[in-house]
Amino acid sequence: MSHKEHVWDALDRCIGQRIPVPVNIQLLHTAIEKDGTTFHRPQSSLFNSMRKRCVVLYEWTNYIHGWQDRWVVLKNNTLSYYKSEDEREYGCRGSLCLSKAIITPHEFDECRIDISVNDSVWYLRAEDPEHRLRWIDSIELHKVESGYGSESSLRRHGSMLSLTGAALWMTVFSSQMCVCVEFACCSLAPFLFSVFLPASPKGMNGIDFKGEAITFKATTAGILSTLSHCIELMVKREDSWQKRLDKELEKRRRVEDAYKSALSELKKKSHYGGPDYEEGPNSLINEEEFFDAVEAALDRQDKIEEQSEKVRIPRLTPVPPGDAYSVIGTHRPLHLTSDCLSQVEDVVQNHMTYSLQDMGGDANWQLVVEEGEMKVYRREVEENGIVLDPLKATHAVKGVTGHELCHYFWDTDVRNDWETTIENFNVVETLSDNAVIVYQTHKRVWPASQRDVLYLSAIRKILATNENDPDTWLVCNFSVDHDNAQPTNRCIRAKINVAMICQTLVSPPEGNKEISRDNVLCKITYVANVNPGGWAPASVLRAVAKREYPKFLKRFTGYVQEKTSGKPILF
């Protein structure tokens, strides 16, 4: 906390003990003048520091960098932030006027504040709930003293009488005037005659007071009648204007409702980059919107991949000679520890026992995709809300062998040529000529979190026990732990157990011709058990798996056919 913060807190406690507590700037200034003498600094500077707060808060930047510390300044009804206190001289990186700002404490995070102005939102976090409360109080105080929305800015001055009030006043006045005229004509006429008429008849000048009174009465009656007519017209006119005003008010209400609805939708779309609209336990994005966003992102990746395929320069990838994996047939690894060796052999044996079993008649497996020779099956399994569906795909590819398919699937040197979902990968440790530990991160598909995986990849040749059965080539990838690739906060660590199992079938050529690729057929069994972790909706995961696994098999087998075309067959 800076020196200004210490003074601010001390003075706040001192003034908070006053009775009554100051409720506006004028009373606050008076209290400072009385209580500020206990501080060793000028009162005016002390008062100015009350209006300004400078402290480090944490701002949400994006999903890559997360929360970053920023030097935040609250002064003159404006909230500004700098990258650090030392960079204030270079200017602020952003600012918000607090007059129309909406301050929202987060429902779950006790240290977080969301400040929004129209479609701009700042996500801030304080060090602890107490600091968050102080910031909220300070921001609200600045909003009140700015004058926006206060009674002084909206005070209404005395207005003219309404038409209805004027009409009522004129009606009363006319009634009183009629009474006065009646009284003058009926009661005062004899008195006026006795006073103004002379005693001698010769002095009479022929003044007819009664006639004058009757004339005056008729004149005033005409005036009153005219006034009454004017009042009726004004009342009718006022009724007409009132109806028009009601219609306009109703139109305005509808427009305001439509504006609020549109603004709410705009905020909802513009804030998708915020921390509340990502995969997580408290995500505000619903399942349908989550699926639409993922599907749109995958479509964009497909278009980018199609464009890159057009400009990609073919790279010559040598196929290993026939004895390159001689150790595979005898299972003599070079540097595998006994624990790793035992684990690899257990996984290989498990896949050879269960993965090659026929799924016919098993009601637990559902056929989800069938395209020519390719069939994809799925068995729905969930554990603690996480989708763990085992997946099995069968395929038949002409012109390639099981050895060639497994080589390209296992070789990390050509991984980026056919795998489009990987952002980057590296070999953490080479255990032997046929076993490596690989760490790879997958491209992020918003709003899902980014995933990474650490796995041991081994390639094996399993000799057939029956001379009529073909040999089997197998690549198994299963998750392991390693000190050089610990989990990070940036990615969710997925767990996998994947196997590519291939068997080569050769049909005899006609006559004495040599075996060509037209006589070769490879049967593929691909098995995947993936625990994605995180909080992605189950329906989204299943829909993505149904879409992506068939695309992967077609893309990979097509790549191998292209690479081996015209080259010697590797059995």
Side-chain angles (χ1 to χ4, degrees):
M1 186 182 295
S2 65
H3 63 279
K4 288 184 178 182
E5 288 290 311
H6 284 293
V7 175
W8 201 99
D9 291 335
L11 187 57
D12 181 48
R13 291 192 299 270
C14 184
I15 292 177
Q17 297 174 358
R18 293 182 61 86
I19 300 176
V21 177
V23 294
N24 54 44
I25 287 296
Q26 184 62 36
L27 295 178
L28 183 62
H29 195 287
T30 302
I32 291 176
E33 291 179 346
K34 293 181 179 180
D35 296 338
T37 56
T38 57
F39 299 93
H40 300 288
R41 61 180 301 173
Q43 296 175 0
S44 58
S45 300
L46 181 60
F47 178 75
N48 290 334
S49 70
M50 291 280 290
R51 304 298 305 277
K52 174 180 176 182
R53 301 201 72 177
C54 308
V55 77
V56 173
L57 292 179
Y58 299 93
E59 181 205 15
W60 173 264
T61 53
N62 51 53
Y63 66 84
I64 296 179
H65 300 290
W67 297 98
Q68 299 291 325
D69 57 324
R70 296 288 184 261
W71 182 257
V72 182
V73 177
L74 174 59
K75 183 180 180 181
N76 297 331
N77 194 39
T78 302
L79 190 67
S80 309
Y81 79 90
Y82 306 80
K83 188 174 181 180
S84 65
E85 184 178 6
D86 298 333
E87 295 190 6
R88 288 180 297 174
E89 60 183 11
Y90 301 113
C92 68
R93 287 175 167 257
S95 62
L96 281 179
C97 180
L98 298 177
S99 298
K100 300 181 180 180
I102 300 175
I103 295 90
T104 307
H106 197 262
E107 183 179 359
F108 304 104
D109 193 339
E110 296 182 350
C111 299
R112 178 172 149 192
I113 316 169
D114 295 349
I115 303 176
S116 60
V117 177
N118 295 331
D119 58 346
S120 177
V121 178
W122 284 11
Y123 305 102
L124 302 175
R125 293 187 84 251
E127 295 180 355
D128 49 54
E130 182 180 356
H131 279 80
R132 182 184 79 163
L133 182 60
R134 291 181 183 176
W135 270 95
I136 293 175
D137 293 341
S138 300
I139 294 173
E140 293 293 348
L141 177 63
H142 275 255
K143 286 185 61 178
V144 171
E145 295 305 333
S146 66
Y148 181 82
S150 61
E151 292 184 0
S152 59
S153 63
L154 300 177
R155 184 181 294 115
R156 297 186 60 183
H157 300 280
S159 59
M160 298 296 292
L161 292 175
S162 65
L163 292 178
T164 304
L168 179 61
W169 179 83
M170 293 180 68
T171 303
V172 175
F173 173 76
S174 63
S175 301
Q176 294 296 329
M177 194 171 182
C178 289
V179 173
C180 293
V181 171
E182 291 290 343
F183 175 76
C185 294
C186 301
S187 302
L188 298 181
F191 172 75
L192 293 174
F193 274 104
S194 63
V195 173
F196 292 101
L197 288 180
S200 174
K202 295 181 180 181
M204 296 179 61
N205 52 9
I207 297 176
D208 187 2
F209 286 97
K210 186 175 182 179
E212 293 293 335
I214 294 173
T215 302
F216 176 75
K217 180 179 179 181
T219 302
T220 55
I223 294 173
L224 294 175
S225 176
T226 302
L227 291 176
S228 298
H229 181 63
C230 291
I231 290 173
E232 292 178 0
L233 292 178
M234 287 189 291
V235 170
K236 291 180 180 179
R237 191 65 174 172
E238 183 182 19
D239 292 340
S240 174
W241 279 107
Q242 186 63 43
K243 292 179 181 179
R244 294 181 64 178
L245 177 62
D246 294 340
K247 290 182 180 179
E248 292 298 326
L249 291 176
E250 180 64 22
K251 290 182 180 179
R252 178 176 178 176
R253 186 188 64 79
R254 292 194 194 125
V255 171
E256 287 178 347
D257 292 342
Y259 170 75
K260 291 178 180 178
S261 177
L263 185 62
S264 176
E265 291 296 324
L266 180 62
K267 286 182 178 180
K268 188 175 181 181
K269 294 179 180 179
S270 62
H271 299 162
Y272 273 171
D276 292 327
Y277 291 89
E278 295 184 337
E279 177 187 350
N282 302 315
S283 176
L284 298 181
I285 187 170
N286 60 44
E287 190 168 320
E288 182 177 356
E289 293 170 337
F290 197 106
F291 175 78
D292 292 340
V294 169
E295 189 175 39
L298 292 175
D299 290 338
R300 287 194 297 269
Q301 289 187 7
D302 290 343
K303 291 181 180 179
I304 294 173
E305 180 63 23
E306 290 176 2
Q307 295 174 357
S308 63
E309 285 287 345
K310 296 178 181 178
V311 298
R312 179 178 294 173
I313 300 176
R315 185 178 67 175
L316 295 177
T317 306
V319 178
D323 59 348
Y325 295 105
S326 59
V327 295
I328 297 175
T330 57
H331 301 280
R332 289 195 299 269
L334 300 180
H335 307 294
L336 278 175
T337 64
S338 59
D339 292 340
C340 289
L341 177 60
S342 175
Q343 191 174 6
V344 170
E345 297 305 326
D346 289 343
V347 172
V348 170
Q349 188 62 35
N350 183 69
H351 282 300
M352 292 299 298
T353 303
Y354 299 104
S355 299
L356 294 178
Q357 291 181 354
D358 188 10
M359 289 163 292
D362 191 342
N364 294 323
W365 289 95
Q366 303 174 8
L367 178 63
V368 293
V369 176
E370 183 174 7
E371 297 181 10
E373 296 290 337
M374 181 174 60
K375 296 180 180 180
V376 180
Y377 299 86
R378 179 179 66 204
R379 181 160 54 90
E380 294 189 358
V381 176
E382 288 190 27
E383 183 177 331
N384 297 326
I386 300 177
V387 175
L388 305 176
D389 294 353
L391 183 139
K392 182 183 291 188
T394 60
H395 197 18
V397 183
K398 293 183 178 180
V400 295
T401 65
H403 188 176
E404 293 168 335
L405 276 169
C406 287
H407 161 70
Y408 284 104
F409 185 74
W410 179 81
D411 190 359
T412 56
D413 292 336
V414 297
R415 183 69 52 84
N416 283 332
D417 291 346
W418 57 268
E419 179 60 272
T420 61
T421 64
I422 294 178
E423 183 176 86
N424 56 67
F425 77 95
N426 65 286
V427 177
V428 178
E429 184 178 354
T430 301
L431 302 175
S432 70
D433 288 344
N434 58 3
V436 292
I437 295 179
V438 179
Y439 171 76
Q440 65 188 31
T441 57
H442 291 265
K443 295 177 182 178
R444 186 179 187 229
V445 181
W446 186 89
S449 300
Q450 190 172 23
R451 260 72 176 178
D452 65 357
V453 61
L454 178 68
Y455 60 92
L456 190 154
S457 181
I459 183 171
R460 287 283 187 271
K461 179 181 179 181
I462 311 299
L463 299 176
T465 57
N466 189 333
E467 61 180 7
N468 295 325
D469 294 334
D471 294 337
T472 301
W473 283 87
L474 178 145
V475 176
C476 60
N477 300 334
F478 56 92
S479 293
V480 293
D481 296 324
H482 199 281
D483 294 337
N484 295 336
Q486 297 293 333
T488 64
N489 293 330
R490 181 185 174 188
C491 299
I492 295 177
R493 180 63 57 88
K495 301 294 184 180
I496 65 169
N497 186 358
V498 177
M500 174 77 74
I501 307 171
C502 302
Q503 293 177 329
T504 305
L505 303 180
V506 180
S507 59
E510 297 180 356
N512 295 325
K513 294 182 179 180
E514 294 183 356
I515 297 176
S516 67
R517 292 194 175 272
D518 294 333
N519 304 117
V520 176
L521 177 69
C522 182
K523 293 180 62 178
I524 301 173
T525 300
Y526 179 77
V527 182
N529 293 272
V530 179
N531 181 353
W535 301 271
S539 61
V540 176
L541 291 175
R542 291 190 172 110
V544 171
K546 182 179 178 180
R547 163 182 167 150
E548 293 301 313
Y549 278 112
K551 287 171 54 179
F552 151 71
L553 277 178
K554 289 189 291 186
R555 181 173 61 248
F556 173 68
T557 54
Y559 168 80
V560 176
Q561 285 176 322
E562 178 184 353
K563 286 295 181 180
T564 57
S565 176
K567 296 181 180 180
I569 302 175
L570 182 64
F571 285 100

